[in-house]
């Protein structure tokens, strides 16, 4: 996971966007399962039901700016 962003939509309603890096060879059906797992985890751990998950094939972290 990287590029994790959390924000408040309105009082008590939060959203999350995150990039998930998967290997090039991962099948689309498996990627769909992973997206569901991320959403479930975010809901269970943080009570956030609005999750946007972007799948990336292979790591692009080296291209990301460093804080």
């Amino acid at each position: 996971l990287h590029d994790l962003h959390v924000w408040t939509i309105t009082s008590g309603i939060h959203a999350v966007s995150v990039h998930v890096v998967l290997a090039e060879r991962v099948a689309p059906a498996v990627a769909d399962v992973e997206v569901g797992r991320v959403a479930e985890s975010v809901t269970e751990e943080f009570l956030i039901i609005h999750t946007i998950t972007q799948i990336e094939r292979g790591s692009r972290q080296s291209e990301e700016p460093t804080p």
Side-chain angles (χ1 to χ4, degrees):
L1 300 174
H2 70 101
D3 267 354
L4 175 69
H5 303 276
V6 181
W7 66 96
T8 300
I9 296 173
T10 189
S11 180
I13 300 177
H14 308 287
V16 170
S17 71
V18 63
H19 294 195
V20 176
V21 181
L22 298 177
E24 296 286 337
R25 67 185 188 288
V26 172
V30 174
D32 290 344
V33 170
E34 291 303 314
V35 167
R37 287 179 58 196
V38 168
E40 287 175 19
S41 294
V42 168
T43 299
E44 288 175 10
E45 294 290 324
F46 306 105
L47 304 176
I48 298 174
I49 58 172
H50 300 284
T51 305
I52 302 160
T53 306
Q54 179 176 331
I55 298 295
E56 292 182 6
R57 302 297 180 156
S59 180
R60 291 183 23 210
Q61 275 186 298
S62 61
E63 300 170 21
E64 300 287 328
T66 340

